[in-house]
Amino acid sequence: MSEEEQARTTTARQPRHAALGLSPERLQVMYRQMVLARALDRRMWVLNRQGKAPFVISGQGHEAAQVGAAAALRPGVDWLAPYYRDLAFCIAMGMTAREFMLGVYARAADPASGGRQMPSHFGLSRARIITTSSTVSTQVPHAAGIAYAAKTRGLDEVAVASLGEGSTSKGDWHEALNFAGVHRLPLVCLVQDNDYAISVPHRLQMSVDSVADRARGYGMVGTTVDGGDVLAVHEAMKEAVQRARSGQGPTLIDAKVARFTSHSSDDDQRRYRPQEELEAMLRRDPLERFRNYLLDETVLTDESDELMQQGCTQEVEEAVQEAQAAPEPDPADLGRHVFAQRLDSSVSGDGVGDDTWQSRR
Amino acid sequence: MSEEEQARTTTARQPRHAALGLSPERLQVMYRQMVLARALDRRMWVLNRQGKAPFVISGQGHEAAQVGAAAALRPGVDWLAPYYRDLAFCIAMGMTAREFMLGVYARAADPASGGRQMPSHFGLSRARIITTSSTVSTQVPHAAGIAYAAKTRGLDEVAVASLGEGSTSKGDWHEALNFAGVHRLPLVCLVQDNDYAISVPHRLQMSVDSVADRARGYGMVGTTVDGGDVLAVHEAMKEAVQRARSGQGPTLIDAKVARFTSHSSDDDQRRYRPQEELEAMLRRDPLERFRNYLLDETVLTDESDELMQQGCTQEVEEAVQEAQAAPEPDPADLGRHVFAQRLDSSVSGDGVGDDTWQSRR
Amino acid sequence: MAVKTLIEGVREALTEEMERDDRVWVLGEDVGKKGGVFLATEGIYSRFGEARVLDTPLAESCIVGVAIGAALNGLIPVAEIQFADFIHPAFDQIVSEAARIRYRSNGDYSCPIVVRAPFGGGVHGGLYHSQSVEAFYAHVPGLKVVIPSTPEDAKGLLKAAIRDPDPVMFFEHKKAYRLIKGEVPDGEYVTPIGTAAVRRQGTNVTCVAWGLMVHHCLEAAEAVAPEGISVEVIDLRTLQPLDRETILRSVEKTARAMVVHEDNLTGGFGAEVAAIIADKGFEHLDAPVTRVAGPDVPAMPFNHPQEEAFLPNPEKIAAAMRRLAAY
Amino acid sequence: MAVKTLIEGVREALTEEMERDDRVWVLGEDVGKKGGVFLATEGIYSRFGEARVLDTPLAESCIVGVAIGAALNGLIPVAEIQFADFIHPAFDQIVSEAARIRYRSNGDYSCPIVVRAPFGGGVHGGLYHSQSVEAFYAHVPGLKVVIPSTPEDAKGLLKAAIRDPDPVMFFEHKKAYRLIKGEVPDGEYVTPIGTAAVRRQGTNVTCVAWGLMVHHCLEAAEAVAPEGISVEVIDLRTLQPLDRETILRSVEKTARAMVVHEDNLTGGFGAEVAAIIADKGFEHLDAPVTRVAGPDVPAMPFNHPQEEAFLPNPEKIAAAMRRLAAY
Ligand SMILES: Cc1ncc(C[n+]2csc(CCOP(=O)(O)OP(=O)(O)O)c2C)c(N)n1
Ligand SMILES: Cc1ncc(C[n+]2csc(CCOP(=O)(O)OP(=O)(O)O)c2C)c(N)n1
Ligand SMILES: [Mg+2]
Ligand SMILES: [Mg+2]
């Protein structure tokens, strides 16, 4: 702690982060995770415009919620069942910029899927980020199953399921939360409510302002937090994780966030969102907000910030270079990993369609 | 009203039924519906033991909830998406004893399915009872769709979805209630909570005592009622129907009932329910309870009751006779009603399996 | 007649049917203001309003279930599933409910709904935006399964589907949406469900396909024509009910048959077509019944080389035609 | 060796595997105290307790989804779906999730789960307790599909399924549960997934079946034997991976092939078997490839006459054998 800080803490209020047990060093790490995620995200859009990344789906505006939440977890111990906006979350759990970019380029070395999935379909066993599909909400029962296994095996592990507010309308979400409630599982469900599911507004998605209102019906605690405030999310998540680890069951957190970009590179949100709404939203950047807090608290200076930004930019550039140069997946590998053992009898049929494939196996 | 009754009303409290606007005549009708349903139900078990009804699933113990609810509806106007325990409900909506018994015997004239479905898989367009499958909870989105159509077409109609507490764990239930909440549909969801889903007890099904706790999360009103008290259920339902008809949206009612019989004729509840629990439950017969109320209120006398019981027994016997004598479905009709028009090209294949069928078309 | 894209055919059918009959109701994710992720419903929201074009919550089972209920109470719902890949959560409502409403009620109720979904790959959709799902539904009695391959058919068949008294699964190949252009007749017409179209006459080989593959087969047929191989290309258009007569008549003439689909081989609908030919057309056959299909991997990868390797294309199809003709 | 029922085979496999490996976890509706609606898990709850035998909420998608998650975190879940008819709500979790965990993660994750479900009719189950669903899953790469027809196989194959590193769909014919009795070897054994069994040797006709139909085919084969028709009956045992070699070797010998299944004809797995024979066995064939199957109606009615009319039985199968032999 700087002298100034110490002075402030002793003479006046305790800073919010200190009350949460977050050291300045920890804050810097968190901030860097947000900066890196944002930089990767923006770079991805550039690659898209350059025709190098055919598909982009973005987490810009969600970073505070994700990094705030991740800071309450133990990477490599706790589990994340993420969704496609969780770039910052995954970075905070241990995914590297390089690993992400290999996915953006759909390279053979992409650790999430070997280039089989669209970018941002995360998965990394090393970091206990489970493999995810595009089909929303399917990961929530998976997280419940992970939590059940942890509980029944006596492991001190927490599972986090992360998804958008629209995805809570799916049956799988309900079924999983009900299950988690019944068994008081060490599960946290983090809903990132950005007011839209592609173009469908909140009012057509649910009749309550906060999906956390549903927690009670599952016998669990529900909280609504400002997802643009990294410390607020952290606080909610910390409590939830404590609850989970002490056998008090699951928590549902609704973090209100902003979707800065269109849903994906295939969308144009100006078609269905009013201009004023977009402008107002962009003024509430969670990254700015955290920076201002850190500057205020002198955890960051303009210089250290500049340095960090540069570091991130460089990390991103290196990742891009590496990914760009990395080899594409081999068509001969199309048939790999269908099963643990290759089964000749499962390879059947005629025509060049699968001859090509068969011939190389 | 009898003199005694009038005296009582004027001198003392207003009877509960009067406060609800139920005339003694109406009460007698309701009571008779319960008696008839119970008689049909018991008879069905006898037929099962006689080897005449291969499958029985029962509503005994649920009658008060069903008849209380039905009394708030307008048969032929409002819709019921029922489930297999809703014998009394369907009777109250206009299904006859004969129609029911034709289903028990799986006769060709069974109006629900022409003997294609198991008994108690209700359906009767005349009474706006929709056709139902065995797959639980699937009828809840149907009820929501009916309510949506009513609303959008400007029709003054209410849709009721009825199901067991176990069935609320299904995704379809959540998806439908969410939809109904968003559009403030004229829908009532009546959950008949009998504490078990086959053998699975309430504590393993959900973590809350009443599923009505979930109403708030769908932006709707939720009520928990004693489902053994026909008037209590009626009151809750009446309010819900008023709400629906006045554009104030859906209601979720949790009626606590008792499952007197095993889940079905394929089950033996003594395998998983303690003897004391069963005994205690059987002492709380909703039919007894209503009879006692009616006797107390002199809406019924022992003599009129006796007469009514006899009338119902006779009605049941006639239904049994008729059903017994009715012709079985014709195997030649196996292929009818797959589509509106028969499609020759959909009839394909070899072997006697479908030759039999084809030859008779 | 004007040249239009396949998706324009879809859009015109929806618009005209909504004009014609105010019971027709469009529902699905993003079908409203956005006009659908492929813009199939573009302009429909502004024309007909929210009451008739509903952006639903993100819940496929609910979309189909609500459509069924609405149909029971007098509407004619046309549900859009955003991608065929996301139709699986609605499987139960489609298979156990929609397909059986009429049968299980012995004709007391019916279920006139249409479920539209874009399917197929070749657009960098990856594992979850590329699937073919027609085989699942063509196996389910009580459902009709329609897959148009031309703009004219997209319009005419969708109109027929909306007017059909029974549930119709209507699958639109997403790569064909803008790639495939063709004449669309002016004025009102309806293309009956249940008849295949012979897209190219031929005498040596019968080639059966649907959706985008029809066009690949036509291209392959042209490629082998100079070699003296005359291929008859049949566009099934509707898989259920299946026009067996057109298939068998062709096989009788050519004595050689192949089926092409994008879906993975094993248990694909090509198996059914091949099985019918091997049974009812056996006496005419001079060669093995051949299938060209996607390989048996869970789905089509996102990366270009493996996507390419997965997909049947004119070259692969032409090679199979040559092998078959030479047998 | 002792004579046991098919369901005893299932129960023994579960018990032994749970003894052997404490990661094996049984979950489903009513699998606990009640022991399952067919008593497949009878006695297992009292032996292993609630932590290893869980009565789940009534939610099939959750059952499979939770099983997948538990498998990701070290358990070996054996999920029971109470009736195959109620597996549809879990379709997405099975098809888009379980089947693809390994493939989509490029081998980073795997999904060793078993999904058991009783299927089939002839027990007055009506439209929703009689269905055959194997064709849907045999079409999905990434899933293994196993259907035992004898008590010995029920035990040996279920043990193999539990030890398999990939998701296995394990379908048990509910009418066969107690009807089919047979010797079950003493002591530990495992029956490998992926090989068919020739249940009866023959020279005139190859008859391919699975589940209860195998027994009907054997009965039919006996019935036509005195007429000089020698039928070879093949029990597939596993539909995916499919033992094509055994099928084709038999057809080479008999030159006549038929497939029998209870599922409705169109798009049933019989189509795949017929298509393979029509392709790879074409040069040996002397007669049309024949299918005997349930008719194309949405499901099997409850009432006795129509249930009977629906079901393939030894008489119907024998008639088809005669027709085929006489071709
Ligand atoms: C089951 C399913 N249906 C449809 C889609 C197509 N889709 C992808 S993202 C999306 C919207 C998700 O909205 P939300 O859950 O709010 O998350 P957000 O993208 O807003 O963060 C839709 C409809 C899908 N992926 N899965
Ligand atoms: C989707 C589905 N899964 C399983 C079943 C088998 N099943 C029939 S009734 C039942 C229990 C239903 O319990 P509940 O909803 O509480 O209704 P209750 O029978 O107690 O009135 C089950 C599991 C089914 N019919 N549908
Ligand atoms: Mg959102
Ligand atoms: Mg219950």
Side-chain angles (χ1 to χ4, degrees), chain B residues 165 194 196-197:
Chain B
E165 90 292 348
N194 59 13
Y196 285 88

Side-chain angles (χ1 to χ4, degrees), chain B residues 308-327:
Chain B
M308 194 181 277
Q309 302 272 2
Q310 278 171 11
C312 287
T313 308
Q314 194 179 333
E315 196 172 332
V316 171
E317 281 323 301
E318 282 167 17
V320 168
Q321 297 314 323
E322 255 193 273
Q324 172 103 33

Side-chain angles (χ1 to χ4, degrees), chain B residues 117 121 131-136 138-139 142 170 172, chain C residues 61 64-65 68 88-105 111 136-137 140-143 167 169, chain D residues 83-91 126-133 136 298-299:
Chain B
Q117 293 229 63
H121 284 56
T131 170
T132 43
S133 67
S134 304
T135 325
V136 301
T138 49
Q139 76 276 28
H142 302 171
K170 285 263 309 179
D172 270 7
Chain C
S61 187
V64 176
I68 293 169
H88 299 333
F91 195 70
D92 187 57
Q93 282 288 350
I94 298 169
V95 170
S96 272
E97 301 300 315
R100 298 190 191 171
I101 295 284
R102 184 185 296 281
Y103 192 74
R104 79 181 183 212
S105 70
C111 183
F136 296 125
Y137 298 101
V140 177
L143 298 177
M169 308 299 296
Chain D
F83 286 86
D85 313 66
F86 306 134
I87 202 170
H88 299 331
F91 195 71
L127 302 178
Y128 293 97
H129 296 78
S130 305
Q131 289 170 69
S132 299
V133 300
F136 295 125

